[in-house]
């Protein structure tokens, strides 16, 4: 009993955020509301001040609008119902099971004479819970799958790898039941979709071949070509050509192959770029070395008087040059001097 009560509380908690809409401007409209949720029912496109609008449930007046003044007359909905005169919409929140009933909407003139009326049926449903999948392999390799869900009037549908699961892939059941039996050989992403009039949800699983079964595709000794699934432990087929033993590829395996190929391409690109950068760096370094070889430094260059030379009218002046550096691609031309020169400590950097 406690488990049932707890489950009911969970379902009500899930439905609190569910809000539905219903166009009830035509007679005999069918509306749905989620238990614990809210519903917006459009009764009329636009109201006018010279008319009276009434909504009755179970022969009891719950809404009365006169001169665009709204009155909620039933205490059971007084704190959770409202009416918008600008668009003629009646809103009811925190829906209860007692709200599941037939409603009668009437339009009267200012004197209370009925001009028009139409009925609507309000049905309250418990939203579907999050579905759960379970599977079991059978003796011949088939797989039985069950989709379990809580809620009112759930409707089921199945897809495999994004495509509707056809009856040809089913050994029993159909695409609209919660229990199906899949034929041997099917694999991929299996999805169970569940819905009712107030909510929907889905669950998926990676479907694989039952363990122990292999697929044989070969030519037998009698010349017959076979392609079928067999239980490996009981396999008696003798092939002339080597037997091809495979399992059906899954979506996950395919994605792994694609990811591996992309990784290899990225690594190759990184290697190529690295080699190119290394070559460019070598060329730049070599060019810099050649340029550096052309830089010449002259240091401690002096002109000295030669001993014993006859004096001339103009006395030679001793000149000292220190650390003169010439840089550039070409060599500098140095003018010769008539006087004898002594060069000392000439260095090349």
């Amino acid at each position: 009993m406690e488990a049932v009560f707890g489950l009911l509380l969970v379902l009500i908690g899930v439905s609190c955020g569910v809000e539905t809409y219903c166009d009830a401007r035509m007679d005999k409209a069918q509306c749905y509301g989620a238990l614990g949720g809210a519903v917006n029912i459009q009764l009329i496109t636009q109201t006018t001040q010279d008319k009276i609008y009434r909504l009755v449930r179970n022969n009891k007046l719950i809404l009365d609008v006169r001169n665009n003044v709204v009155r909620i007359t039933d205490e059971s909905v007084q704190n959770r119902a409202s009416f918008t005169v600008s668009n003629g919409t009646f809103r009811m929140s925190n829906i209860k099971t007692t709200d599941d009933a037939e409603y009668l909407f009437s339009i009267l003139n200012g004197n209370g004479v009925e001009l028009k009326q139409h009925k609507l049926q309000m049905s309250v449903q418990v939203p579907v819970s999050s579905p759960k999948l379970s599977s079991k392999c059978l003796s011949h390799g088939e797989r039985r799958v069950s989709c379990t869900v809580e809620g009112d009037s759930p409707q089921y549908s199945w897809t495999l790898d994004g495509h509707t699961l056809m009856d040809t892939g089913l050994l029993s059941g159909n695409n609209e039941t919660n229990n199906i039996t899949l034929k041997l050989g099917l694999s991929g992403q299996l999805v169970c979709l569940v819905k009712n009039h107030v909510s929907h949800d889905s669950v998926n699983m990676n479907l694989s071949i039952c363990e122990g079964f292999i697929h044989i595709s070969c030519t037998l000794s009698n010349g017959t070509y076979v392609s079928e699934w067999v239980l490996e432990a009981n396999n008696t087929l003798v092939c002339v050509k080597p037997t091809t033993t495979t399992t059906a590829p899954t979506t996950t395996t395919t994605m792994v192959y694609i990811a591996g190929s992309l990784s290899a391409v990225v690594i190759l690109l990184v290697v190529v770029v690295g080699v190119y950068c290394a070559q460019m760096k070598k060329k730049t370094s070599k060019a810099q070395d050649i340029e550096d070889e052309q830089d010449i430094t002259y240091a401690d260059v002096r002109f000295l008087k030669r001993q014993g030379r006859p004096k001339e009218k103009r006395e030679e002046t001793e000149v000292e040059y220190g650390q003169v550096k010439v840089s550039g691609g070409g060599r500098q031309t140095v003018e010769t001097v008539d006087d004898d020169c002594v060069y000392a400590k000439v260095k090349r950097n």
Side-chain angles (χ1 to χ4, degrees), residues 88-162:
T89 300
F90 177 71
R91 175 183 171 83
M92 193 159 46
S93 60
N94 192 20
I95 295 175
K96 305 178 184 298
T97 54
T98 54
D99 297 324
D100 190 319
E102 184 180 76
Y103 294 74
L104 179 65
F105 178 66
S106 303
I107 303 175
L108 301 85
N109 63 17
N111 297 322
V113 178
E114 188 175 274
L115 302 176
K116 184 181 178 180
Q117 70 171 20
H118 58 263
K119 298 178 180 179
L120 66 97
Q121 180 65 45
M122 173 73 169
S123 297
V124 177
Q125 286 189 339
V126 175
V128 295
S129 62
S130 297
K132 295 181 179 179
L133 281 179
S134 60
S135 67
K136 178 183 179 182
C137 285
L138 304 182
S139 59
H140 297 290
E142 306 91 347
R143 185 181 288 273
R144 181 176 296 161
V145 184
S146 298
C147 188
T148 307
V149 71
E150 300 291 341
D152 288 337
S153 305
Q155 300 173 16
Y156 300 88
S157 61
W158 299 81
T159 64
L160 183 62
D161 287 336

Side-chain angles (χ1 to χ4, degrees), residues 51-108:
K51 291 183 176 63
I52 301 172
Y53 304 94
R54 290 176 178 173
L55 185 63
V56 177
R57 181 182 69 185
N58 296 330
N59 297 320
K60 188 174 183 180
L61 183 66
I62 62 174
L63 173 67
D64 184 82
V65 182
R66 298 168 184 256
N67 297 321
N68 286 344
V69 177
V70 179
R71 290 192 309 122
I72 306 297
T73 57
D74 187 355
E75 292 183 357
S76 65
V77 297
Q78 200 165 38
N79 296 326
R80 55 190 183 90
S82 62
F83 182 77
T84 305
V85 295
S86 59
N87 57 20
T89 300
F90 177 71
R91 175 183 171 83
M92 193 159 46
S93 60
N94 192 20
I95 295 175
K96 305 178 184 298
T97 54
T98 54
D99 297 324
D100 190 319
E102 184 180 76
Y103 294 74
L104 179 65
F105 178 66
S106 303
I107 303 175
L108 301 85

Side-chain angles (χ1 to χ4, degrees), residues 128-301:
V128 295
S129 62
S130 297
K132 295 181 179 179
L133 281 179
S134 60
S135 67
K136 178 183 179 182
C137 285
L138 304 182
S139 59
H140 297 290
E142 306 91 347
R143 185 181 288 273
R144 181 176 296 161
V145 184
S146 298
C147 188
T148 307
V149 71
E150 300 291 341
D152 288 337
S153 305
Q155 300 173 16
Y156 300 88
S157 61
W158 299 81
T159 64
L160 183 62
D161 287 336
H163 302 285
T164 300
L165 185 61
M166 308 301 293
D167 291 342
T168 54
L170 300 175
L171 193 64
S172 65
N174 59 66
N175 188 43
E176 298 179 353
T177 59
N178 66 318
N179 295 306
I180 58 174
T181 302
L182 300 170
K183 292 181 179 179
L184 173 61
L186 289 181
S187 63
Q189 194 74 12
L190 183 67
V191 179
C192 173
L193 300 100
V194 188
K195 67 177 182 178
N196 60 13
H197 291 286
V198 297
S199 64
H200 61 86
D201 206 343
S202 65
V203 63
N204 63 80
M205 68 175 290
N206 188 25
L207 187 68
S208 59
I209 303 301
C210 290
E211 186 177 355
F213 285 86
I214 60 174
H215 186 260
I216 295 181
S217 177
C218 69
T219 302
L220 302 180
S221 57
N222 61 3
T224 304
Y225 176 77
V226 295
S227 178
E228 60 184 64
W229 290 92
V230 298
L231 185 62
E232 186 175 16
N234 299 334
N235 179 33
T236 58
L237 296 176
V238 179
C239 299
V240 175
K241 296 180 180 180
T243 302
T244 302
T245 305
T246 59
T247 57
T250 62
T251 303
T252 303
T253 304
T254 304
M255 293 302 294
V256 170
Y257 289 153
I258 294 174
S261 300
L262 290 176
S263 299
V265 172
V266 171
I267 292 172
L268 181 60
L269 287 175
V270 170
V271 171
V272 171
V273 172
V275 171
Y276 176 77
C277 291
Q279 292 295 329
M280 292 301 294
K281 186 175 181 181
K282 256 186 186 179
K283 290 181 180 180
T284 305
S285 177
K286 188 174 181 181
Q288 184 65 36
D289 291 342
I290 294 173
E291 183 178 348
D292 291 343
E293 287 178 0
Q294 295 176 353
D295 294 342
I296 301 174
T297 301
Y298 298 92
D300 296 334
V301 181

